[in-house]
Amino acid sequence: MLYRALLIGVLINWPFLSVRADAGDGDGTGYWDNLQIHGFASLAGIKTSDNRFFGDSPHTSFDFSELGLNVSLRPAPTLLISAQLLARRAGEMYDGEPALDYALLDYCAAATPDYRLGLRVGRIKNPLGLYNETRDVPFTRPGIFMPQVVYFDQVRNLLLSSDGLVLYGDAYTGLGSLSLSVLHGRAVVDENVEWAYLNGDFPGDVESRSDSWIWSLWFATAGDRLRLGFSGASLSVDFDPRTSAPPILGAGSFDILYWIASIQYDAEDWTLSAELMREPIDWHDFGALYPDRRLTAEGYYLQAAYRVSPGIELMMRYEEGFADRADRSGKAMSRVGGGQGPAHMGYSKIWTAGLRWDLDRHWMLRLEYQRHSGTFTLSSRENPYLPGQVKDWNLVAAQIAFRF
């Protein structure tokens, strides 16, 4: 309740919160002249015909809200310091407790008309796909919700950022620009990872190893009209039972190789985007209750956005996702689970229609309708009674957001 009251208070008093610090000596050369402080907030209402999505949505949920504050400072032309604190409420998955989304130091070691080389260190946004680096702000997402079959909100923190170091470089040619980045570090793991990959909350903890690798390679034509990208992540997560009683699960681990192929074409009034994701996963050493297995999850979507006017945008998207690309009906997965989980948990097919209205540079309204077949994208943490998940269901959402 305190969190929601704070969010509403910020929405009401937003004109007084916009800050740009210019505390130098008045001639534009002060150390703090480049300090910028910005923020955003959003609140959404969600109604589903069945199943829980970001709260008790069958009875209308207002448990999806965000309150963020970001700071950046450029003490020298080659150095940038940046951080963001975010309080995010998303049903049972995220409780609104403030957390550090990212905090990094970016050093540009070389920059010429032909190339740029640099280094970032700290908690860094993972350069995955078209939208992962901008998914934390409502204004820079492609809709109220990300394409769930590629950008899983079930494990948002795992995908969003990593603690480590990234080397990046850009090359500029007459044909366009080529960008490469390679990150080494530790993934951010929370309880949602356990729910998503182990289907429950077991006595013990999940922890990331420190040998995660993330990479991205992009080509963009002049003016960024056409963008082609390939990005991915390789990481391992360990489970430590940490109990004196006989553990339910053994001290196992699962290895993930997650990659995305991306394409986007941006014209004056419309944008077409498409991405394909595959995620080979290997579980091992958890014991008899959770036998060793391997599968490859898959998801893809096609999205079109049309700007009717500078302030109004229409969006259509179709997406499909599968827990195992070799079992697109989900029947084999259901048999392995003894029929406890229905087959439609193995896939999701989603149609989305959305409207974005920018009232001014600070305020935005969004409306969205989704038609779902399957429940692959649902969180088992919010829908733990697996036989009760309904195959065909609808979602309607409205969101108000502001930024300063």
Side-chain angles (χ1 to χ4, degrees):
M1 294 300 292
L2 177 62
Y3 168 71
R4 186 171 295 172
L6 177 62
L7 176 64
I8 294 172
V10 171
L11 286 169
I12 293 172
N13 292 284
W14 72 270
F16 306 103
L17 297 174
S18 182
V19 178
R20 177 169 177 137
D22 292 309
D25 51 18
D27 61 0
T29 60
Y31 180 83
W32 297 102
D33 281 354
N34 290 312
L35 173 68
Q36 295 191 43
I37 303 175
H38 298 287
F40 57 89
S42 70
L43 180 64
I46 305 169
K47 170 68 176 176
T48 57
S49 58
D50 301 278
N51 306 317
R52 292 171 62 95
F53 191 87
F54 289 11
D56 188 13
S57 52
H59 295 95
T60 306
S61 169
F62 292 94
D63 287 341
F64 181 35
S65 52
E66 300 156 302
L67 183 61
L69 185 69
N70 55 71
V71 180
S72 65
L73 173 66
R74 191 176 289 279
T78 59
L79 188 63
L80 173 68
I81 303 170
S82 181
Q84 178 167 289
L85 191 67
L86 179 67
R88 187 173 192 263
R89 172 78 173 173
E92 298 296 325
M93 294 181 290
Y94 302 97
D95 61 5
E97 181 178 349
L100 193 65
D101 253 9
Y102 63 86
L104 60 92
L105 186 150
D106 186 331
Y107 173 64
C108 182
T112 74
D114 298 320
Y115 67 88
R116 182 179 67 136
L117 297 172
L119 166 73
R120 299 186 186 104
V121 62
R123 176 160 290 184
I124 305 162
K125 290 184 179 180
N126 295 328
L128 294 168
L130 289 167
Y131 299 113
N132 195 63
E133 291 178 283
T134 59
R135 68 186 292 172
D136 52 341
V137 180
F139 287 83
T140 54
R141 289 197 292 263
I144 298 177
F145 310 107
M146 299 288 289
Q148 292 296 296
V149 301
V150 173
Y151 302 94
F152 307 111
D153 271 318
Q154 299 178 47
V155 289
R156 171 190 177 274
N157 289 350
L158 181 69
L159 296 178
L160 180 68
S161 55
S162 299
D163 297 330
L165 178 149
V166 61
L167 299 172
Y168 65 87
D170 305 305
Y172 311 109
T173 71
L175 297 176
S177 62
L178 191 65
S179 302
L180 173 67
S181 62
V182 179
L183 184 153
H184 179 259
R186 182 185 294 271
V188 178
V189 175
D190 57 23
E191 290 181 355
N192 292 305
V193 173
E194 186 176 350
W195 278 96
Y197 289 96
L198 297 179
N199 296 317
D201 182 14
F202 298 94
D205 299 305
V206 286
E207 298 175 342
S208 171
R209 297 181 194 169
S210 60
D211 56 353
S212 299
W213 289 93
I214 298 174
W215 66 91
S216 70
L217 178 64
W218 287 90
F219 171 76
T221 58
D224 284 346
R225 175 153 289 196
L226 176 65
R227 299 180 66 206
L228 302 171
F230 182 76
S231 53
S234 174
L235 60 115
S236 296
V237 178
D238 296 329
F239 177 76
D240 184 352
R242 289 190 179 176
T243 176
S244 58
I248 299 174
L249 294 182
S253 61
F254 51 91
D255 304 318
I256 299 171
L257 176 61
Y258 169 93
W259 61 261
I260 306 174
S262 311
I263 182 170
Q264 186 175 73
Y265 186 81
D266 194 8
E268 182 177 356
D269 297 325
W270 51 271
T271 302
L272 289 177
S273 308
E275 293 190 286
L276 166 66
M277 178 281 301
R278 284 187 183 163
E279 185 185 20
I281 313 169
D282 181 7
W283 291 266
H284 48 87
D285 301 327
F286 286 100
L289 184 64
Y290 211 97
D292 293 0
R293 59 173 178 152
R294 296 180 181 179
L295 58 79
T296 299
E298 182 180 79
Y300 47 84
Y301 71 88
L302 175 64
Q303 177 180 278
Y306 177 67
R307 291 169 283 280
V308 179
S309 68
I312 298 179
E313 179 181 274
L314 303 176
M315 183 268 289
M316 288 287 295
R317 182 169 67 226
Y318 178 70
E319 55 190 297
E320 289 189 354
F322 307 93
D324 183 356
R325 66 186 301 263
D327 177 30
R328 294 176 180 264
S329 69
K331 293 180 180 178
M333 181 192 71
S334 181
R335 287 195 299 269
V336 170
Q340 183 179 8
H344 57 73
M345 286 182 58
Y347 62 86
S348 280
K349 301 177 182 181
I350 310 168
W351 283 100
T352 300
L355 167 67
R356 170 175 174 164
W357 181 17
D358 291 327
L359 284 71
D360 55 35
R361 62 185 297 268
H362 296 288
W363 289 91
M364 177 187 70
L365 296 176
R366 267 192 163 127
L367 297 174
E368 207 160 288
Y369 167 76
Q370 295 185 351
R371 173 62 178 173
H372 289 250
S373 177
T375 59
F376 167 56
T377 59
L378 287 181
S379 167
S380 58
R381 188 173 188 178
E382 291 200 299
N383 300 270
Y385 181 58
L386 305 184
Q389 294 186 12
V390 177
K391 174 185 172 184
D392 297 312
W393 53 289
N394 301 305
L395 179 151
V396 179
Q399 182 183 59
I400 180 171
F402 88 99
R403 58 185 169 187
F404 59 83

